[in-house]
Amino acid sequence: GGTETRASDDGGTETRAASVRAGTIAREDVVHSRYLTVYDREIEFADEDGTTRSFAYDVVGHPRSEFRFVCVAPFHSRERTVSGEPEFTIIREYAQGSNSECVVLPSGCFEPGKHESLDEVAREELQQESRLRGGTLMSLLDDDNPGLLETKWCRNRCFPFLNIDGEECNEGERDAEEFNMTHERVTARELKRLMYGGVMMMPSVVTAQLAIDKLMTTGHLNLDDIV
């Protein structure tokens, strides 16, 4: 597991095995389940001196999706936009946590029995939420990446994708709770402002940044497009 050297409370240093931060699940009970499932999880940590510490945590996740979801950045190259600038399609929808409007990129959960792959989920959400189909779809993670944890107290993992130059369509039925969802195009510069303006959900922020980084390397974006 390796070791870690850090400052101690008395101003010195202490060395601790990094494996101490990998606990053992002693107990896990489902205490609530609707869209998300809430678990009461008890974790035991074994210290190097043989002592054991036990803590209870609230953990959430979406077991029906195998704790996997996608987030897709729909990009439109400057040659295909009316503005002549590179653009992204964003989604405006209701956020129940803040009880306000938020900005996101197309996102959705993997559904076993319905989806064969995460690529299929990405294409479905593009069509359903941003009214786009086709184009070039690529994962923004390496093949061996287990997915990006949504938060430290959540079991869900995000798989970010980039879609380049999807075609507009009017197909794809949205879920009932998405009745007030809208989509629009913004320039890459405006996307950057939204990403760090406090209105965009974190998985979308990370996906957008990964997409911008990728598009900078492929030549689809340059520094002037985002500053």
Side-chain angles (χ1 to χ4, degrees):
T3 61
E4 170 197 36
T5 300
R6 63 173 185 163
S8 61
D9 294 338
D10 60 5
T13 60
E14 65 175 334
T15 301
R16 171 168 292 181
S19 60
V20 171
R21 287 190 292 273
T24 299
I25 300 176
R27 175 185 55 79
E28 184 173 84
D29 300 313
V30 173
V31 295
H32 174 76
S33 184
R34 188 164 51 185
Y35 180 73
L36 289 171
T37 297
V38 182
Y39 302 88
D40 175 16
R41 177 184 286 182
E42 183 179 345
I43 302 293
E44 293 181 348
F45 296 93
D47 226 327
E48 291 179 309
D49 61 4
T51 60
T52 300
R53 312 173 195 222
S54 180
F55 302 93
Y57 297 95
D58 295 335
V59 177
V60 303
H62 199 340
R64 285 171 293 176
S65 68
E66 299 179 350
F67 306 104
R68 295 188 289 169
F69 71 100
V70 306
C71 186
V72 192
F75 174 76
H76 311 278
S77 56
R78 68 183 81 245
E79 295 81 9
R80 296 182 175 227
T81 63
V82 175
S83 68
E85 291 192 53
E87 296 176 347
F88 289 83
T89 293
I90 62 166
I91 307 297
R92 295 186 185 273
E93 65 175 353
Y94 173 71
Q96 57 269 45
S98 61
N99 191 32
S100 63
E101 179 187 275
C102 70
V103 174
V104 297
L105 298 176
S107 307
C109 291
F110 176 81
E111 296 182 40
K114 178 182 179 183
H115 301 126
E116 295 291 330
S117 66
L118 292 169
D119 292 45
E120 184 179 347
V121 185
R123 291 197 181 279
E124 180 180 278
E125 295 303 323
L126 273 171
Q127 187 164 321
Q128 179 178 309
E129 296 189 358
S130 58
R131 298 294 193 247
L132 295 168
R133 65 182 174 192
T136 301
L137 182 72
M138 64 186 74
S139 171
L140 292 169
L141 297 180
D142 294 334
D143 291 342
D144 60 351
N145 194 305
L148 308 178
L149 273 175
E150 192 168 4
T151 66
K152 77 172 190 175
W153 40 263
C154 183
R155 295 178 65 178
N156 297 337
R157 290 183 179 269
C158 176
F159 292 82
F161 283 81
L162 168 65
N163 183 258
I164 300 176
D165 292 332
E167 299 290 338
E168 293 185 0
C169 69
N170 290 314
E171 302 173 6
E173 184 177 350
R174 290 173 175 165
D175 297 333
E177 67 271 18
E178 296 173 337
F179 72 97
N180 54 2
M181 174 183 287
T182 61
H183 65 283
E184 64 190 75
R185 289 193 186 189
V186 297
T187 64
R189 192 174 298 106
E190 175 65 8
L191 178 71
K192 284 283 289 187
R193 188 188 70 79
L194 291 168
M195 286 164 58
Y196 302 110
V199 296
M200 184 176 281
M201 300 293 100
M202 189 57 68
S204 295
V205 173
V206 175
T207 298
Q209 187 62 64
L210 288 171
I212 289 172
D213 292 346
K214 181 67 174 181
L215 292 163
M216 294 283 282
T217 66
T218 61
H220 287 85
L221 285 177
N222 58 59
L223 191 59
D224 291 339
D225 293 322
I226 57 176
V227 297

